[in-house]
C-alpha cells in the first residue's frame, strides 16, 4: 500500500491540470502566440516520496481476527466501526485504511466545510459521530452547550507527545474536552515576483494596494474585519462600534480593489496567477507553493491569527472508547507525520518534526511558513462570544454594499 | 394588452364534477401530505423562529423576542435614510414613469390601442422604481432585497429576449428530427451539475482564462469580468435560460399560424400581428417561463457566490451569513420570511391573478 502525501498528490494533480490547460491554451491561442507556455514543462515529474517513516506492516491476518497491534487499545472494548466528522480534505484517507488494517475498525469519514456546519450536525442530536474535528472557538461553543464529553486521558497515553505550547488553550482550559489535531495561522500570501520588496503590512491590501484587481481577502467576517482592526491599531477582537465603523470604511475601500472575498478558490488562484496576493491561511499558502514556488507567506507586522483544529467527542457519541483509541492512534508519531505531510499545517506532536520529509521542510522554508517565536508573539486567537455579534452586523454592511 | 378569449376552462356541469372530485381525493392525498410536510411546516417554522432568541453556535433559544424584526424594520435603518430618500425615490419613480410613457404611448398609438393602458404600465413601473430606491437606501437587508429583485427581473427580461426567437425558430422547424435535435441541445446543460457549469464559466472568464488570453493575443486589453454585476447577471441568465425556452417552445408549438396569416391578409402590420395575435397566444408560456426564471434567479446562491466573489451579493448570501458564521438564525428566519413576502408581492404585481387563470 503506497501512501500518497499531499505533496506528491498535488504535483500529480498539477500535471494533469496543466495537460488540460495546455489543450485550452492551444485552442485559445489559435493565433499562434505562445507567450507563457514555459510553465507547461517546468515541474518535472517527481516521484511520490514515501512517507518519512515506513508505515507499519499491514497484518496479513483477516480483519475479523483480533487486532495484533498494541496501538489499538483493549480489543474487548474496541468497536467494529466508527463515524468520523472532519474538515474536507484534511487527512490522507490512507491513514484511515491503515487504522482499519491495523486495528480492525472501519472508519467512515464525513466532511464539513465550516465549523458552523459541524456544530449544527452535532447539536441536532443523534449525529452518529464518535469523533469530530473542529476549530478552537467551536470547541468552546460546543462545550458550553453540553455537546461534548470530557476526554479520558488515561485512554490516550500519547497525550504526552503533545507540545505544551498547544495545550491548555483559551477555548478549553485544562484540555477537558479537546486535544489538538493540527494548527496553523492566518496571514498574507503573495507572489514574490509581483513585489519589489516583500510586503510587511496589511497596507499592501488595504490603503496602498499595488495589485488592484489581482488580490483577494478571505470570505470570513472575523479574519477580514480583524485584519482591518489591527491595521487601524485596534485589537483583533475589538467590539466597539467606533472601531467597527472605521474598519468598515477600510474594508469598503479595499473592496473596490480586491477581486473578491474568497476562501474557497484562492489557493488555486494564487497557484495559477489569477491573484498575486491574498489574505491566506498558512497551510493554504503551502499548498499554493507546491504549484507556484514563488508564493511566499508572511504574518504582517500588525499581526495575524493562530488557530487550532481539535479532536472532540460528542456527548452522544455511540462509541467513545473507539474514538479515544483513534485519537491516540493519530497522535502516534508516524501517523502524525503522515497527517502533517498532507495538511501542510503545523503539528502539535513533539515527536513528529524529526519524521517529516525533506519535501515538507522544503515547502515550509521555501514558502516562509516557519513559525518562529518572534512570529508567535504577533499572533492572536480569535475569540467568539455573544458580544462579537457586532462582526456580523458590520459584515452585513459589506454584503449589502454590492 | 388586447382582450382575447382565453382557452376554454369553463367548468362542465357541476353535477358531473363533484363526484369526480371525490374520486380523485385519495390520489391527491400523498401530494398534499408532501406539500404540507415539506413546504408548509418548514415555512411556518421559519416564521416562528424569527420571533425567537439566537443561540451562540447556531439554533435558537425558545424565548420570544421581537429583536430580529426590530433589527430589520427599525434598528438597522441607515442614518442616511430619511425624508430626503423618500423625495429622491419619488423623483426617480416619476422620471422613470415619464421616460417609459413616451415610447409606451407611441407604441399604443401605432398599434391602435387605448393610451390609458400604456400610462398605467408606465405608472406601475415608476412605482416599482420608487419602491426599489427606497428599499436600496433604507437598510442593509432591504438593499440586498432590492438588488436581488432587480437583477432577477433583468435576468427574466434578458431570458425572454433570448428565448422567444429561439422558441419560435425551433417550433417552426418542419422536420421532427431537427426539432428534437434542437430541443436536446437546449436540454443538454441540464445533464451537467450546475456547480460544474458555474465553475466552467469562472474558468472561461477568469483574468488569466482562455477568453482573456484570446483578447491578449488579439492585441486587446484584458477585461475584468469575474466578480462584477455583469458576471452575476450573465450567470443568472445562463442558468435559467432553458427554463424560459422550454415553456415558450411549448406555447409557440401551439400557435395557430393560420390566424397570423389571416391577420396579415386583413392588413395588419407585422408589429401588430406580433403584439395582437402572436403574443396573446404565447402568453401562458411567457408567464410560466417568467415565473420560473424569476423565482430561480432571486434565490440563487451559487452564481453570486462563485461569479460575484463575495463582492456582489444576493439574498442567499445574506441568509448564509446569518445561518452560518453570524450564528443568528432568528434574524436569518426573519429575512427569509420577509423575502418570501417580497417575492410573492413581486410575482403578484407582475403576473397577477387574472393572468394565472389562463394557464391553470
Amino acid at each position: 500500500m503506497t501512501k500518497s502525501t499531499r505533496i506528491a498528490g498535488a504535483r500529480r494533480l498539477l500535471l494533469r491540470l496543466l495537460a488540460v490547460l495546455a489543450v485550452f491554451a492551444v485552442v485559445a491561442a489559435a493565433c499562434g502566440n505562445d507567450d507563457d507556455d514555459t510553465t507547461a514543462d517546468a515541474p518535472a515529474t517527481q516521484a511520490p516520496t514515501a512517507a518519512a517513516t515506513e508505515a507499519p506492516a499491514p497484518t496479513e491476518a483477516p480483519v475479523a481476527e483480533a487486532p495484533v497491534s498494541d496501538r489499538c487499545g483493549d480489543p474487548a472494548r474496541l468497536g467494529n466501526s466508527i463515524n468520523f466528522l472532519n474538515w474536507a480534505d484534511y487527512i490522507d484517507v490512507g491513514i484511515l485504511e491503515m487504522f482499519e488494517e491495523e486495528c480492525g475498525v472501519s472508519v467512515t469519514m464525513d466532511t464539513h466545510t465550516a465549523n458552523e456546519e459541524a456544530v449544527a450536525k452535532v447539536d441536532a442530536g443523534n449525529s452518529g459521530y464518535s469523533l469530530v474535528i473542529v476549530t478552537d472557538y467551536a470547541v468552546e461553543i460546543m462545550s458550553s452547550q453540553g455537546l461534548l464529553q470530557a476526554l479520558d486521558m488515561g485512554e490516550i497515553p500519547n497525550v504526552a507527545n503533545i507540545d505544551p505550547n498547544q495545550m491548555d488553550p483559551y477555548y478549553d482550559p485544562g484540555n477537558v474536552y479537546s486535544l489538538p489535531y493540527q494548527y496553523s495561522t492566518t496571514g498574507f500570501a503573495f507572489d514574490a515576483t509581483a513585489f519589489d520588496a516583500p510586503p510587511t503590512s496589511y497596507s499592501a491590501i488595504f490603503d496602498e494596494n499595488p495589485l488592484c484587481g489581482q488580490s483577494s481577502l478571505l470570505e470570513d467576517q472575523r479574519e477580514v474585519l480583524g485584519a482591518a482592526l489591527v491595521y487601524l491599531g485596534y485589537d483583533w477582537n475589538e467590539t466597539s462600534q467606533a472601531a467597527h465603523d472605521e474598519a468598515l470604511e477600510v474594508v469598503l475601500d479595499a473592496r473596490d480593489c480586491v477581486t473578491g472575498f474568497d476562501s474557497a478558490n484562492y489557493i488555486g488562484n494564487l497557484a495559477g496567477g489569477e491573484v498575486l496576493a491574498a489574505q491566506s491561511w498558512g497551510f493554504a499558502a503551502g499548498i499554493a507553493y507546491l504549484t507556484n514556488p514563488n508564493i511566499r507567506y508572511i504574518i504582517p507586522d500588525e499581526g495575524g491569527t493562530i488557530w487550532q483544529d481539535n479532536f472532540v467527542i460528542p456527548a452522544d457519541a455511540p462509541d467513545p472508547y473507539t474514538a479515544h483509541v483513534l485519537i491516540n492512534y493519530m497522535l502516534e508519531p508516524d501517523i502524525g507525520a503522515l497527517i502533517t505531510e498532507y495538511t501542510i499545517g503545523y503539528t502539535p506532536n513533539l515527536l513528529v518534526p524529526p519524521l517529516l520529509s525533506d519535501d515538507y521542510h522544503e515547502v515550509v522554508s521555501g514558502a516562509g511558513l516557519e513559525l518562529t517565536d518572534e512570529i508567535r508573539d504577533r499572533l492572536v486567537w480569535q475569540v467568539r462570544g455573544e458580544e462579537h455579534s457586532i462582526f456580523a452586523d458590520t459584515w452585513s454592511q459589506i454584503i449589502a454594499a454590492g | 394588452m388586447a382582450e382575447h378569449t382565453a382557452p376554454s376552462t369553463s367548468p362542465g356541469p357541476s353535477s358531473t364534477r363533484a363526484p369526480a372530485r371525490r374520486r380523485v381525493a385519495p390520489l391527491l392525498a400523498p401530494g398534499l401530505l408532501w406539500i404540507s410536510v415539506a413546504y408548509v411546516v418548514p415555512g411556518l417554522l421559519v416564521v416562528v423562529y424569527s420571533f425567537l432568541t439566537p443561540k451562540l453556535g447556531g439554533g435558537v433559544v425558545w424565548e420570544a423576542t421581537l429583536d430580529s424584526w426590530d433589527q430589520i424594520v427599525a434598528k438597522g435603518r441607515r442614518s442616511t435614510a430619511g425624508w430626503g430618500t423618500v423625495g429622491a425615490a419619488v423623483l426617480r419613480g416619476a422620471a422613470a414613469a415619464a421616460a417609459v410613457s413616451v415610447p409606451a404611448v407611441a407604441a399604443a398609438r401605432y398599434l391602435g390601442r387605448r393610451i390609458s393602458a400604456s400610462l398605467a404600465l408606465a405608472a406601475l413601473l415608476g412605482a416599482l422604481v420608487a419602491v426599489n430606491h427606497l428599499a436600496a437606501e433604507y437598510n442593509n437587508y432591504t438593499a440586498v432585497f432590492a438588488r436581488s429583485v432587480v437583477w432577477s427581473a433583468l435576468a427574466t427580461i434578458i431570458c425572454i429576449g433570448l428565448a422567444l426567437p429561439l422558441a419560435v425558430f425551433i417550433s417552426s422547424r418542419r422536420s421532427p428530427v431537427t426539432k428534437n435535435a434542437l430541443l436536446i441541445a437546449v436540454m443538454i446543460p441540464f445533464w451537467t451539475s450546475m456547480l460544474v457549469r458555474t465553475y466552467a464559466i469562472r474558468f472561461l472568464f477568469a483574468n488569466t482564462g482562455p477568453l482573456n488570453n484570446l483578447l491578449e493575443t488579439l492585441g486587446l486589453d484584458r477585461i475584468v469580468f469575474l466578480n462584477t454585476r455583469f458576471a452575476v447577471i450573465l450567470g443568472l441568465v445562463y442558468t435559467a435560460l432553458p427554463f424560459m425556452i422550454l415553456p415558450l417552445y411549448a406555447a409557440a408549438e401551439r400557435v395557430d399560424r393560420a390566424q397570423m396569416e389571416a391577420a396579415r391578409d386583413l392588413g395588419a402590420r407585422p408589429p401588430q400581428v406580433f403584439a395582437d395575435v402572436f403574443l396573446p397566444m404565447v402568453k401562458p408560456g411567457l408567464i410560466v417561463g417568467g415565473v420560473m426564471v424569476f423565482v430561480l434567479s432571486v434565490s440563487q446562491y451559487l452564481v453570486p457566490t462563485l461569479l460575484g466573489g463575495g463582492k456582489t451579493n444576493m439574498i442567499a448570501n445574506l441568509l448564509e451569513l446569518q445561518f452560518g458564521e453570524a450564528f443568528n438564525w432568528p434574524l436569518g428566519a426573519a429575512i427569509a420570511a420577509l423575502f418570501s413576502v417580497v417575492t410573492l408581492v413581486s410575482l403578484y404585481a407582475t403576473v397577477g391573478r387574472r393572468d394565472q387563470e389562463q394557464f391553470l
Side-chain angles (χ1 to χ4, degrees):
Chain A
M1 188 171 64
T2 51
K3 289 280 102 41
S4 65
T5 66
R6 156 110 64 186
I7 295 174
R11 289 213 171 113
R12 254 179 283 124
L13 183 67
L14 170 72
L15 288 173
R16 224 173 295 148
L17 260 177
L18 281 173
V20 175
L21 283 177
V23 173
F24 274 103
V26 169
V27 175
C31 299
N33 245 341
D34 52 344
D35 25 347
D36 43 12
D37 267 10
T38 40
T39 45
D41 46 2
T45 0
Q46 175 124 10
T49 50
T53 49
E54 282 307 306
T59 56
E60 297 300 321
V63 177
E65 258 176 47
V68 291
S69 166
D70 59 353
R71 310 204 289 187
C72 302
D74 178 1
R77 296 170 65 196
L78 198 63
N80 291 323
S81 63
I82 186 171
N83 291 329
F84 174 34
L85 180 63
N86 190 2
W87 280 93
D89 202 22
Y90 207 37
I91 192 167
D92 183 343
V93 288
I95 292 168
L96 306 178
E97 289 163 13
M98 285 171 64
F99 184 64
E100 177 165 3
E101 281 187 30
E102 196 172 334
C103 299
V105 179
S106 80
V107 183
T108 306
M109 184 173 72
D110 289 343
T111 59
H112 65 83
T113 55
N115 286 305
E116 291 74 21
E117 195 185 324
V119 175
K121 276 188 176 168
V122 173
D123 189 27
N126 208 13
S127 65
Y129 297 117
S130 294
L131 182 60
V132 178
I133 289 183
V134 289
T135 313
D136 37 54
Y137 67 92
V139 174
E140 188 177 35
I141 288 168
M142 290 173 94
S143 64
S144 71
Q145 293 179 1
L147 297 177
L148 301 180
Q149 55 179 278
L151 299 180
D152 180 355
M153 297 305 170
E155 306 289 358
I156 312 176
N158 284 337
V159 91
N161 301 347
I162 301 177
D163 181 353
N165 277 326
Q166 299 309 120
M167 293 289 276
D168 195 25
Y170 84 92
Y171 53 83
D172 184 18
N175 286 91
V176 179
Y177 298 102
S178 70
L179 282 175
Y181 172 70
Q182 296 281 283
Y183 66 102
S184 189
T185 58
T186 307
F188 190 68
F190 57 93
D191 190 318
T193 58
F195 289 84
D196 295 334
T200 56
S201 157
Y202 285 112
S203 64
I205 203 155
F206 290 138
D207 272 349
E208 38 198 83
N209 191 334
L211 295 170
C212 206
Q214 290 177 298
S215 50
S216 72
L217 286 161
L218 288 170
E219 188 190 13
D220 184 311
Q221 44 166 337
R222 295 303 305 273
E223 297 286 9
V224 173
L225 291 172
L229 285 166
V230 293
Y231 174 63
L232 291 165
Y234 295 102
D235 188 83
W236 195 285
N237 295 304
E238 174 72 46
T239 57
S240 78
Q241 187 63 53
H244 273 257
D245 287 345
E246 280 186 61
L248 176 66
E249 285 307 311
V250 168
V251 177
L252 283 179
D253 284 346
R255 196 182 157 277
D256 298 329
C257 236
V258 295
T259 60
F261 297 101
D262 176 11
S263 304
N265 303 299
Y266 79 94
I267 303 177
N269 286 346
L270 267 177
E274 180 80 8
V275 300
L276 299 174
Q279 190 183 24
S280 173
W281 297 307
F283 76 92
I287 293 170
Y289 176 88
L290 290 175
T291 311
N292 178 355
N294 293 320
I295 297 297
R296 297 289 177 277
Y297 179 76
I298 55 151
I299 302 294
D301 290 343
E302 296 95 341
T305 53
I306 182 168
W307 44 265
Q308 181 158 266
D309 287 309
N310 306 272
F311 300 107
V312 293
I313 300 183
D316 62 356
D319 192 349
Y321 178 74
T322 306
H324 280 86
V325 173
L326 184 53
I327 293 175
N328 195 56
Y329 186 79
M330 292 204 234
L331 290 172
E332 292 284 343
D334 58 328
I335 305 297
L338 288 176
I339 291 172
T340 300
E341 295 260 335
Y342 188 83
T343 64
I344 320 192
Y346 303 118
T347 178
N349 192 326
L350 290 173
L351 303 184
V352 163
L355 304 181
L356 291 168
S357 68
D358 289 346
D359 275 357
Y360 175 84
H361 290 299
E362 202 269 314
V363 171
V364 167
S365 62
L369 286 162
E370 292 107 336
L371 194 52
T372 61
D373 288 343
E374 186 273 322
I375 289 175
R376 258 180 194 268
D377 287 344
R378 278 186 274 144
L379 298 172
V380 292
W381 293 91
Q382 246 160 208
V383 188
R384 303 200 190 202
E386 305 277 357
E387 70 277 19
H388 294 96
S389 64
I390 189 172
F391 281 87
D393 296 341
T394 315
W395 190 251
S396 61
Q397 298 190 52
I398 292 161
I399 285 190
Chain B
M1 285 280 160
E3 287 299 315
H4 65 278
T5 47
S8 169
T9 55
S10 59
S14 57
S15 56
T16 60
R17 278 175 65 89
R21 224 179 233 175
R22 234 173 284 135
R23 254 183 284 124
V24 298
L27 293 175
L28 288 177
L32 286 177
L33 190 73
W34 173 254
I35 287 176
S36 57
V37 170
Y39 296 96
V40 179
V41 173
L44 291 176
L45 211 57
V46 166
V47 176
V48 172
Y49 266 39
S50 70
F51 292 101
L52 297 175
T53 309
K55 191 175 86 176
L56 193 62
V60 288
V61 180
W62 283 83
E63 279 167 31
T65 170
L66 286 172
D67 274 0
S68 302
W69 288 101
D70 188 32
Q71 178 70 25
I72 292 183
V73 175
K75 260 200 307 202
R77 187 170 70 84
R78 284 184 192 156
S79 53
T80 50
W83 287 109
T85 322
V86 178
V90 171
L91 280 179
R92 273 166 181 254
V100 170
S101 64
V102 174
V105 167
R109 284 243 172 84
Y110 181 78
L111 294 169
R113 294 203 187 144
R114 268 176 294 135
I115 293 169
S116 59
S118 300
L119 290 178
L121 182 76
L124 176 71
L125 197 88
L128 285 177
V129 168
V131 169
N132 180 59
H133 180 75
L134 274 183
E137 297 296 323
Y138 184 68
N139 69 27
N140 296 332
Y141 314 107
T142 56
V144 182
F145 284 12
R147 182 185 313 137
S148 302
V149 169
V150 169
W151 289 0
S152 305
L154 267 176
T156 311
I157 292 168
I158 297 171
C159 275
I160 291 177
L162 292 174
L164 199 56
L166 256 175
V168 171
F169 177 78
I170 298 176
S171 69
S172 63
R173 292 307 91 192
R174 288 254 175 73
S175 137
V177 179
T178 323
K179 241 182 219 183
N180 283 337
L182 289 170
L183 278 179
I184 286 172
V186 173
M187 299 278 286
I188 279 176
F190 277 112
W191 301 348
T192 322
S193 151
M194 199 177 114
L195 188 67
V196 173
R197 281 184 281 143
T198 314
Y199 266 106
I201 300 188
R202 264 186 75 96
F203 170 73
L204 208 60
F205 288 94
N207 290 340
T208 51
L211 201 74
N212 266 323
N213 286 343
L214 184 68
L215 284 179
E216 197 171 51
T217 44
L218 293 176
L220 301 169
D221 283 340
R222 286 175 182 263
I223 298 173
V224 175
F225 169 81
L226 283 184
N227 306 347
T228 62
R229 287 164 189 220
F230 177 73
V232 172
I233 293 172
L234 183 129
L236 294 179
V237 170
Y238 171 77
T239 346
L241 190 58
F243 293 93
M244 182 62 92
I245 296 178
L246 293 180
L248 268 185
Y249 163 77
E253 251 309 77
R254 289 198 298 268
V255 165
D256 184 356
R257 277 161 212 285
Q259 287 190 28
M260 291 166 71
E261 273 166 37
R264 228 171 291 140
D265 290 346
L266 292 170
R269 282 163 293 188
Q272 279 176 310
V273 176
F274 177 77
D276 290 341
V277 182
F278 178 76
L279 264 193
M281 286 196 281
V282 296
K283 201 166 155 196
L286 272 180
I287 290 169
V288 173
V291 169
M292 294 221 304
V293 170
F294 182 82
V295 171
L296 270 178
S297 302
V298 89
S299 56
Q300 261 284 3
Y301 174 70
L302 266 183
V303 165
T305 305
L306 287 181
L307 301 179
K311 278 172 78 179
T312 41
N313 296 289
M314 291 175 71
I315 189 76
N317 303 94
L318 193 58
L319 288 177
E320 200 248 349
L321 171 68
Q322 303 305 337
F323 283 97
E325 270 191 279
F327 291 138
N328 198 337
W329 288 24
L331 183 56
I335 295 170
L338 187 61
F339 193 65
S340 303
V341 174
V342 169
T343 312
L344 285 176
V345 169
S346 317
L347 284 179
Y348 188 83
T350 47
V351 178
R353 276 184 69 81
R354 248 190 317 142
D355 293 327
Q356 284 177 14
E357 277 167 13
Q358 289 173 3
F359 65 87
L360 280 181

